[in-house]
Amino acid sequence: MSFHSPFPDVEIPATSIYEFLFGSLTDAELELPAFIDGPSGAVTTYGELIAHINGVAGALAARGIEPGDVVALHSPNVPAFGSVFHGILRAGATATTINALYTADDIAKQLEDSNAKFLFTVSPLLPQAKAGAEQAGLAADRIVVLDGSEGYASLRDLLTELAPTPRVSIDPEEHLAVLPYSSGTTGRPKGVMLTHRNLVANVCQASDGLGGGQHRILSVLPFFHIYGMTVLLNIALRNRSTLVTMPRFDLMEFLRITSEHKCTQVFIAPPIAVALAKHPAVDQFDLSSVELVFSGAAPLDANLGQAVAQRLNCQVRQGYGMSEMSPVSHLIPVNRDDVALDSVGFTVPNMECKLVDPGTGEEIQVPESGVSEPGELWCKGPNIMRGYLGNAEATAETLVEDGYLRTGDIATVSSDGVVSIVDRLKELIKYKGYQVPPAELEALLLTHPQIADAAVIGVTDSEGEEVPKAFVVRQAESGLTEQEVIDFVAEKVSPHKKVRAVEFLEAVPKSAAGKILRKDLRAREAAS
Ligand code: AYL
């Protein structure tokens, strides 16, 4: 028994994302601030943004980039992100956004897998970008350093060329707009193929729930991740809001910038809620402009959410989704005070879901009253990805009958349509909202000469945070210590992927087919 969004369908215009966001900009709107660089206060107006987008598109076309090509963008949140991101799409190319925390090795893998023809980065990230590009065989003259660096083209260089914006025709249903990377339900990161229609759809589906209107939006959540890309960047630009950017999280800067720029909406992942609820510094700032704190990307503790609402005297809401859904499928609407914060609210318009018993494959009934049994959440709608790039097998496991996407999350639904995420079926670990694919860490652990076997799962630490924990089988007579395992991994991976707990085992529990039995490890953890 499937359940629809309780809201009426919204119209999804059949246009490119550029046309959708900017096609109807009025002269007066061109004067509005699109971006404020948080640290410096520098303003980029909508008029400047459009000029820069067109300039970047022209410069890319002049370098032979055409529809079908992939261009990589590797940058923290700075105003130029918007110009380059939409410039790539305006040229008809596909943007693959790279996590700013990535190591050279991670960068090389994404460049290779996506077959990126160009790489945009920033000077503080140039060492790893350069090494990654070299490893992937991308020549140095194909790297643009936004803020400039000796020997590389800068964004200013590109814009001063004044190359004509190419005329490309975009079929919104077919044309890939972005390729963010996600490990999905299993394995290593894969390119998530999202079309122009997927992106336009999700802006339309999620806007109303966020209340619409013009806002000043504290933008610390990364634009390279789909949450920042759709929920912050695209929705804000559509509403002619102002994005106040921060390149990295620092609590004092976060509070200062929110207060100084009188931000009205603040988007966070759960770890920031801990600071907002508990840190004494919060009282030193005037945060009275904040109307909404919105959390997503990992489960928000309801008590914590309420503590934030009380302390800041604002609304706190939660959303849920997946890169593969562009990403929002569920949210608690701003205008609803009656939805429990430990839920993820309602299915967004134009979507249909069902819950499937992972053991039997049977559909779970939605009750006449009360709350359903738990089951795996399956979703369908215009925001669902086309599939994983070059990976038909993973696509077939995720996109199943009737256009449904299997989320790998376990949920319940109430008779009035409120969905709660109660567990995770898939192997993915979330550390501070960032994806940590266990398969990647397991492969790395197995390269250690003293490790015979290994499995990684997410566990809850003493602060209630999900962290990666490694279960390790040592080689006979090895005296390897927990700390040595932690250090071995920490040296080789980006900070969010570090193993933060280790336990030695005699053997990793496995199925007859050799698959790691993660549920047995989770049960062991729960019992300890
Ligand atoms: P990805 N509660 C519990 N788990 C969540 C939540 C939540 N609110 N949000 C995301 N997850 C987990 O691709 C869940 O396991 O996208 C899901 O399958 O990095 C996985 O994270 C997807 O991870 C918003 C704001 C959605 C953010 C997003 C999340 C995008 C994260 C809607 O309004």
Side-chain angles (χ1 to χ4, degrees):
M1 193 167 133
S2 68
F3 53 98
H4 265 277
S5 168
F7 306 111
D9 278 1
V10 291
E11 195 202 329
I12 300 164
T15 68
S16 69
I17 187 86
Y18 178 89
E19 267 307 305
F20 172 67
L21 296 182
F22 306 119
S24 65
L25 263 175
T26 62
D27 285 348
E29 286 172 344
L30 293 174
E31 306 296 324
L32 295 173
F35 289 93
I36 296 176
D37 178 53
S40 72
V43 174
T44 308
T45 64
Y46 274 85
E48 286 162 340
L49 173 66
I50 297 300
H52 293 175
I53 291 172
N54 286 320
V56 169
L60 284 173
R63 284 161 177 76
I65 294 295
E66 37 181 50
D69 287 338
V70 174
V71 175
L73 173 52
H74 172 235
S75 167
N77 284 5
V78 290
F81 192 106
S83 314
V84 174
F85 177 78
H86 282 294
I88 295 168
L89 272 55
R90 177 94 168 115
T94 304
T96 192
T97 49
I98 301 182
N99 190 323
L101 299 174
Y102 268 8
T103 61
D105 213 41
D106 294 330
I107 296 169
K109 284 199 186 105
Q110 189 169 333
L111 291 173
E112 276 169 23
D113 189 74
S114 65
N115 191 21
K117 299 275 164 54
F118 243 94
L119 169 62
F120 286 86
T121 187
V122 293
S123 60
L125 302 180
L126 184 57
Q128 55 270 43
K130 201 164 112 178
E134 208 167 276
Q135 197 177 320
L138 191 72
D141 66 354
R142 308 247 111 191
I143 300 177
V144 178
V145 181
L146 295 180
D147 50 335
S149 180
E150 181 78 37
Y152 293 90
S154 68
L155 181 59
R156 182 175 308 180
D157 295 337
L158 264 53
L159 296 177
T160 48
E161 288 170 12
L162 299 174
T165 308
R167 289 166 166 273
V168 290
S169 86
I170 287 172
D171 175 352
E173 298 263 0
E174 291 299 324
H175 211 102
L176 298 186
V178 294
L179 259 182
Y181 272 65
S182 165
S183 67
T185 56
T186 181
R188 299 186 185 220
K190 298 170 276 290
V192 177
M193 299 192 285
L194 300 179
T195 61
H196 281 259
R197 176 169 167 81
N198 288 150
L199 295 190
V200 171
N202 210 232
V203 170
C204 298
Q205 293 170 290
S207 289
D208 288 350
L210 291 170
Q214 277 178 5
H215 287 276
R216 281 189 174 232
I217 296 175
L218 195 278
S219 307
V220 70
L221 294 187
F223 297 145
F224 60 72
H225 182 255
I226 192 76
Y227 181 3
M229 196 186 293
T230 292
V231 181
L232 280 77
L233 188 64
N234 287 344
I235 291 183
L237 294 175
R238 171 68 182 181
N239 291 336
R240 316 307 182 220
S241 290
T242 302
L243 293 142
V244 182
T245 59
M246 285 186 68
R248 73 193 65 78
F249 181 72
D250 169 273
L251 182 65
M252 295 309 271
E253 270 288 273
F254 176 90
L255 298 171
R256 178 187 74 76
I257 290 171
T258 304
S259 164
E260 185 177 317
H261 295 287
K262 298 195 168 31
C263 291
T264 53
Q265 294 191 334
V266 173
F267 289 87
I268 62 166
I272 302 182
V274 179
L276 289 178
K278 299 192 175 152
H279 202 285
V282 172
D283 295 328
Q284 296 165 21
F285 293 86
D286 174 7
L287 301 174
S288 59
S289 58
V290 177
E291 296 164 11
L292 171 70
V293 170
F294 191 92
S295 175
L300 175 70
D301 180 83
N303 291 327
L304 189 62
Q306 258 130 29
V308 173
Q310 257 162 27
R311 191 167 189 198
L312 269 56
N313 189 25
C314 69
Q315 296 181 318
V316 174
R317 297 289 185 266
Q318 174 166 217
Y320 160 86
M322 250 173 106
S323 305
E324 290 81 348
M325 301 196 285
S326 308
V328 189
S329 62
H330 292 82
L331 57 74
I332 305 178
V334 171
N335 63 4
R336 293 287 296 258
D337 286 321
D338 57 334
V339 183
L341 252 191
D342 53 9
S343 78
V344 294
F346 301 106
T347 308
V348 299
N350 306 53
M351 284 199 96
E352 196 176 336
C353 299
K354 59 184 178 183
L355 297 177
V356 178
D357 184 321
T360 63
E362 304 264 333
E363 264 185 54
I364 285 166
Q365 299 299 310
V366 181
E368 300 266 327
S369 71
V371 176
S372 77
E373 292 298 309
E376 186 186 3
L377 179 65
W378 292 22
C379 300
K380 90 176 175 185
N383 50 321
I384 301 290
M385 67 164 178
R386 294 301 298 263
Y388 294 113
L389 181 73
N391 196 333
E393 197 186 331
T395 302
E397 279 166 16
T398 308
L399 294 179
V400 289
E401 71 241 32
D402 269 356
Y404 272 104
L405 172 122
R406 297 180 57 163
T407 64
D409 292 306
I410 303 286
T412 61
V413 62
S414 70
S415 52
D416 46 10
V418 174
V419 171
S420 300
I421 305 296
V422 296
D423 200 359
R424 205 180 288 148
L425 190 62
K426 56 188 168 188
E427 63 183 42
L428 175 71
I429 301 168
K430 280 285 181 104
Y431 178 71
K432 299 200 168 175
Y434 286 112
Q435 291 199 1
V436 180
E440 217 174 280
L441 294 175
E442 287 157 0
L444 174 61
L445 287 165
L446 289 177
T447 65
H448 193 292
Q450 292 184 58
I451 293 181
D453 203 358
V456 176
I457 62 167
V459 300
T460 309
D461 75 1
S462 57
E463 275 142 41
E465 286 287 329
E466 185 177 10
V467 298
K469 171 169 179 177
F471 291 86
V472 172
V473 181
R474 281 177 288 202
Q475 298 285 17
E477 285 167 40
S478 156
L480 189 68
T481 65
E482 293 171 11
Q483 194 57 46
E484 282 166 350
V485 174
I486 290 175
D487 295 344
F488 171 74
V489 174
E491 245 172 52
K492 298 187 169 59
V493 300
S494 52
H496 65 288
K497 292 190 206 159
K498 284 183 194 172
V499 161
R500 288 167 201 269
V502 176
E503 185 176 334
F504 294 111
L505 292 181
E506 293 295 319
V508 171
K510 291 197 179 155
S511 71
K515 265 186 82 164
I516 296 170
L517 292 172
R518 292 175 204 281
K519 64 173 172 28
D520 290 6
L521 290 173
R522 288 197 195 108
R524 180 193 174 94
E525 191 62 29
S528 70

